[in-house]
Every structure is written in structure tokens, then in C-alpha cells.
Amino acid sequence: MMTIAMLLCACSALSQPTATPFPTATSLPTVTPSPTEAPSETPAATATPSPTAIPSSTPSPTASATATFTATPSATPSPTVTPSITPLPVFGFVFDNWDVLEIPSAVADGVDSAMLAFTSANNRQTIANIATAQPFTGVQTVYFVSPTGSRRRIPVLELQSTRRLEVFVARPGSALAYVKSDDDPRASGLYLLDLETGFSARLLPGANPLVQRGHFMAPDWSPDGRRLAIAVATGYDIDIFLVNKDGSPPLNISQQGSYDLWPRWSPGGRHIAFVSDRADCPSWIPGEPGFCDAVSKPPPTGGQVHIYEIASGRTWQLSDEVVSEPPTWIDDSLLTFASGGPFDLVNPQRRIWRADIETGIAREVRLAGGTGKASYLSDSWSPDGNRVVVQLADRRNEIVLLSASGQLLGRDSELNFPRFGMSAGWSSDGERIAIGGTAGQCPFGVRVKNRGFGNVASGNPPPTMCNPQFSPDGQYIAFTGVNPSVDGRNDIYLASFNGFGATSLTRDLRGQVELIGWVGGRP
């Protein structure tokens, strides 16, 4: 806390801050892209009491910036070339609206055992009849709750916001980022909160700071919870920055002049995967070699998967396949991505790939003997990367379990979800698979299968099962469920690893709840 006080005193003494340029990452050679392989039919090898957390002071809606970091183009246009367009407006980094919040000791001391994080909005504590309409309260609360013992809810953040909170919690439970919406634009933006010290500050201004050049890009915490990877628009392109949770100046790790999108940390923190259009447009900055003219060429909707190595700063292209969604890590060497999709006129079928970043080989995973016209939707991979549950949309819509080589291991035609309507979660040992819906489209009850895709639990509503997630140790399943026989509201449920004994953790809250996920703990 003394460090925070010194930081606040020192920064408050600055009368007229000046913009501080970002540190630049060392430019290193780019590795030649590795070829993308066709699907293999050979089986793939296994890849190796009750404290309250009310802010001690409400964050001031008036920006109190004492240091402003403004995002600038990653390169300066050549003075001999007339730019075809002027630089576009950018959000720019700020570090203002400082505050120190009171954090419950159960959280500030670290989250040793896994806890469940969720948000509650518009809670009415004095309401007598839940069927009676009530005015919007605007109070948003982030809770942590332990799956064991009393299951007491711990409020770690409470604030006023005019819309639903978007919250991103660091995996160790030591920090979070959240988007606050306020009537005063000087208070709206993306905030960081260090749960170890209670220090909070605004990082990006704006009502929609996660939408950059039309792309929604969620930030991603490093596995140790110390740095946040985030994509931010500069004058002509989008770059990826790393931001320490102490608010020190962001580090630009891309600086290509291209659109660099959707950064994702590897589980061990050694690499960051992202999508870039640099193979097609090396730069959108007028005057740079091979630049794309934004007047005649539309902005990209995706690109190829690239890998950035933290230790060396080296970046290389992983595959030639064009993707338009974030990649997903399986472990430190394996990741998956999808190409094609309903918005791709050339390749309307969504195809899934598994890639090894060490060998640079990416293989398409599809059902052996399939028609080739199917879309592989909502894929969820086992912890070892050898099996995948996927929604197969072809002549019929069904859920299948495939090996990494495309062999059919199991299928369920009863679970007929809408397109992109399935959400599956694996236990850490790969022995259980929970299958539910997503985005409120959850017609089925609790469904849990074993590694052979046989039924372990096959319940009917209520409650329904949405977005199931196993705890890190694999002992519990958390999910969002609806009980239509009561009032049709969402609640957060907790069940055993077999899916039995589901109980609501939020039934006494009078508002809207949303599951964030598990924090802390280890398998």
C-alpha cells in the first residue's frame, strides 16, 4: 500500500503531463510460414463473518489523468508520399481515474483454492414479490464463491454502471479488467483492478473500448495475472500491446502496420497467438513498402494465425489458412483455429485445424469419410488435444466426438442445438464431458458423458444447462440454468463432476446474473 501512496503523491505533483511514447519491441526476422497439411487419416500422436467489498471511495467521474499514453502509428509515413487518407481516430491509452478499493482479505491474500466468479446486476435487496417490476438500480457486483463449505459469496467489486459489466478475470484470481459505462464519458472505459493491492485505474477511454475498427476483441490476461494483452487501433492499423497491471507504459509487440487481432496467451505464458493480415497487407500506413490503400481496399475481417515468442520477441506465421476468429490454445505447443464460415463466400463451411507450433504443421480435423460439405461448429478439445467434441452441421445437425485424425468415436443425434448453439466443457483428466447450450439457447437439462461418449447424466429441465465449466480439479461443474417453472430467470448452478446434485448459488439474488468462470486453483 506504501508503493501505491508514493505513486499517487508523485503523479499528483505533475502539473502538465506530456504524452509518453510507447517502448518499441525489437524488430526481429520473421520465420518463413510453414505449410498447411491436408487432413490425415492416421491417428495423431498424443500431445505431450461476511466481508463486503464496497469501494472505499467511489471512482471520480472526472478524469484525473496525470500521465497519458497516446497510441501512435507504428511507423511514420514517408514525407515524399502523399497519404491517401489521414490517420483515423484512435482511443489512445490513458492511465487516470485512480482509486484504491477495499478488497476482502479472503481474495486479497490470493485465491489458493478454485473459486467461481460471476456478476450480479440490478439486484433488489428489499423486494417482496419477485414478479413485481422494479426500477433499474444500476448496481453491478462481481462475486467470488467457493464450491465447498458454506459457499458464501464474496463481493470483490461493486459499482454503478449503466449497462451490463464485461469482466475479464486473471486466471490466478489476482486481477481483473472490466468495462464501465457511465453517463459521463470521462468515466467510461476499460479499467484494471489489482486485487492484491486494491489499486484501480482506467486504461482505455470510451463507451465501447473493446470494439476496435469494427472488431470486438476481448483482452487476455497472462497466466500469472501480471500482464494484459490487448489489441488497440493506431492511426492506420491495429497493434497488440502488453500492459502491466501496475499501469506502466504499454509495450507494442507487433508494430507491423497490419491489422493484428485477438491476442491469446499460451497456458505457460511463453507465447501469444494472434491473427494478422500482414501476409496480404504488410502495412496500411501510406508510403510503406507494399502498403494497402484504405481508399480502394476494404479493411480485413481476419488473416492468418501468427505466434509471438515472449522471450525473444520473434514472430512467425503458423498457417496459410485465413481465419476470422480467435485461435484457442490446447497446451503450450498445440493450438486450434477455424477457417471458413457463413460470412466467407468462398469457403462457407467452417473447418477446424489443430496445429503444432514447434513443428509448424497444421492439420485439418474432419470426419473420416465425410461429405466435405459439413460445418464443424463450437469445437471443444480434450486437455491432451487428442479428441474433440464438435457440432456437425451437414444434412443433419448432431454432436459428435472425433479423434484428432478424424475417426468417429461417438455421436448424439438427440442433442439438436441451433447452429453455434452448443457449449461443451472437459474435466481436467479428460474423463468427463459436460454438454450444454449457449447464449440463452439451452433446451436440454444436465448432460454429462464419459470419455467414450456414453451417458453419465442425462437429465431433463429444470434446470437447463448453459455454458458448463469444470473446476480446475475436475470435481465440480458450474453452469447457468433456467428454471421455467419458477420465473424463467437465469441462475448459477453447481453440480458434482457427474452432473448430479445441482444447486443454485444465486436463487436469493433479485437481479440478473452471468457466469464468468473459475479462478485460482490447480488441477
Side-chain angles (χ1 to χ4, degrees):
M1 193 65 68
M2 182 177 295
T3 303
I4 296 172
M6 295 175 63
L7 176 64
L8 294 175
C9 291
C11 291
S12 63
L14 300 176
S15 57
Q16 294 182 345
T18 57
T20 304
F22 295 130
T24 57
T26 305
S27 177
L28 294 171
T30 301
V31 175
T32 304
S34 301
T36 302
E37 293 194 356
S40 170
E41 301 302 328
T42 303
T46 301
T48 327
S50 175
T52 36
I54 307 302
S56 55
S57 59
T58 303
S60 170
T62 303
S64 55
T66 57
T68 301
F69 307 108
T70 304
T72 56
S74 53
T76 303
S78 170
T80 61
V81 177
T82 301
S84 54
I85 62 169
T86 57
L88 299 173
V90 298
F91 277 103
F93 286 93
V94 297
F95 192 53
D96 61 8
N97 295 352
W98 298 349
D99 204 352
V100 179
L101 309 183
E102 184 179 341
I103 306 298
S105 59
V107 175
D109 293 339
V111 181
D112 297 326
S113 299
M115 303 184 81
L116 196 61
F118 68 91
T119 61
S120 172
N122 198 28
N123 186 38
R124 293 93 161 196
Q125 297 180 357
T126 60
I127 184 172
N129 185 352
I130 61 175
T132 303
Q134 297 290 312
F136 180 68
T137 68
V139 177
Q140 312 259 352
T141 307
V142 178
Y143 287 103
F144 286 3
V145 60
S146 172
T148 61
S150 64
R151 298 182 179 176
R152 177 174 52 87
R153 294 188 298 261
I154 301 174
V156 298
L157 173 68
E158 184 174 293
L159 50 78
Q160 289 277 341
S161 184
T162 57
R163 69 176 188 181
R164 177 184 63 84
L165 278 180
E166 296 174 278
V167 182
F168 309 92
V169 183
R171 292 166 222 179
S174 56
L176 58 84
Y178 62 93
V179 176
K180 178 184 178 182
S181 180
D182 196 280
D183 292 335
D184 187 340
R186 293 171 297 178
S188 294
L190 177 68
Y191 285 74
L192 298 183
L193 172 60
D194 186 343
L195 293 176
E196 296 176 328
T197 63
F199 183 67
S200 173
R202 186 174 66 156
L203 177 63
L204 286 174
N208 295 294
L210 301 183
V211 178
Q212 304 281 325
R213 300 279 196 270
H215 296 277
F216 175 82
M217 291 176 288
D220 194 41
W221 285 100
S222 60
D224 61 7
R226 296 185 179 278
R227 289 184 287 181
L228 192 69
I230 185 170
V232 178
T234 62
Y236 295 100
D237 59 343
I238 297 177
D239 285 335
I240 295 172
F241 296 84
L242 300 185
V243 183
N244 292 330
K245 68 176 181 177
D246 63 4
S248 53
L251 174 66
N252 188 331
I253 65 170
S254 54
Q255 299 193 78
Q256 177 70 25
S258 54
Y259 275 58
D260 298 325
L261 315 169
W262 304 304
R264 294 293 185 268
W265 286 88
S266 64
R270 295 175 51 203
H271 301 92
I272 293 176
F274 64 97
V275 174
S276 177
D277 74 326
R278 62 185 63 186
D280 181 45
C281 285
S283 178
W284 290 85
I285 301 173
E288 286 202 342
F291 83 96
C292 290
D293 190 346
V295 172
S296 58
K297 188 177 180 66
T301 58
Q304 289 80 24
V305 176
H306 288 68
I307 306 296
Y308 174 82
E309 187 175 57
I310 299 295
S312 66
R314 184 170 62 106
T315 298
W316 67 93
Q317 182 177 325
L318 184 62
S319 167
D320 292 330
E321 295 297 321
V322 176
V323 304
S324 56
E325 58 186 85
T328 301
W329 289 93
I330 298 174
D331 57 30
D332 282 333
S333 61
L334 293 175
L335 61 75
T336 68
F337 58 88
S339 62
F343 302 107
D344 189 332
L345 299 180
V346 178
N347 300 296
Q349 285 79 35
R350 185 179 186 268
R351 302 154 63 196
I352 57 175
W353 305 76
R354 192 187 75 152
D356 188 325
I357 68 169
E358 304 295 340
T359 64
I361 296 175
R363 290 188 173 95
E364 184 183 0
V365 179
R366 68 170 182 239
L367 178 64
T371 65
K373 297 181 180 180
S375 280
Y376 292 75
L377 314 175
S378 308
D379 47 308
S380 177
W381 288 82
S382 63
D384 62 7
N386 287 330
R387 292 167 293 159
V388 58
V389 175
V390 65
Q391 184 181 8
L392 189 63
D394 194 357
R395 290 185 297 268
R396 58 182 179 180
N397 190 16
E398 60 183 351
I399 307 303
V400 298
L401 176 66
L402 302 178
S403 70
S405 61
Q407 299 301 314
L408 179 65
L409 303 178
R411 70 184 345 141
D412 191 327
S413 300
E414 178 191 353
L415 298 176
N416 187 16
F417 291 97
R419 291 177 66 88
F420 291 99
M422 183 200 75
S423 175
W426 288 79
S427 62
S428 56
D429 60 5
E431 294 295 325
R432 294 287 185 269
I433 313 160
I435 300 177
T438 189
Q441 302 182 80
C442 311
F444 305 105
V446 175
R447 300 297 173 98
V448 178
K449 295 180 178 292
N450 58 28
R451 62 179 294 117
F453 222 53
N455 287 333
V456 175
S458 182
N460 294 317
T464 61
M465 176 179 270
C466 252
N467 303 309
Q469 301 182 34
F470 276 89
S471 59
D473 62 5
Q475 295 303 304
Y476 300 95
I477 305 173
F479 62 95
T480 302
V482 175
N483 189 341
S485 64
V486 180
D487 57 1
R489 52 172 271 159
N490 279 331
D491 277 302
I492 308 298
Y493 287 84
L494 193 67
S496 71
F497 71 100
N498 284 329
F500 300 114
T503 58
S504 174
L505 302 177
T506 58
R507 60 185 177 185
D508 58 325
L509 292 176
R510 300 292 184 256
Q512 297 79 44
V513 296
E514 184 168 344
L515 179 63
I516 298 174
W518 293 96
V519 297
R522 292 292 182 270

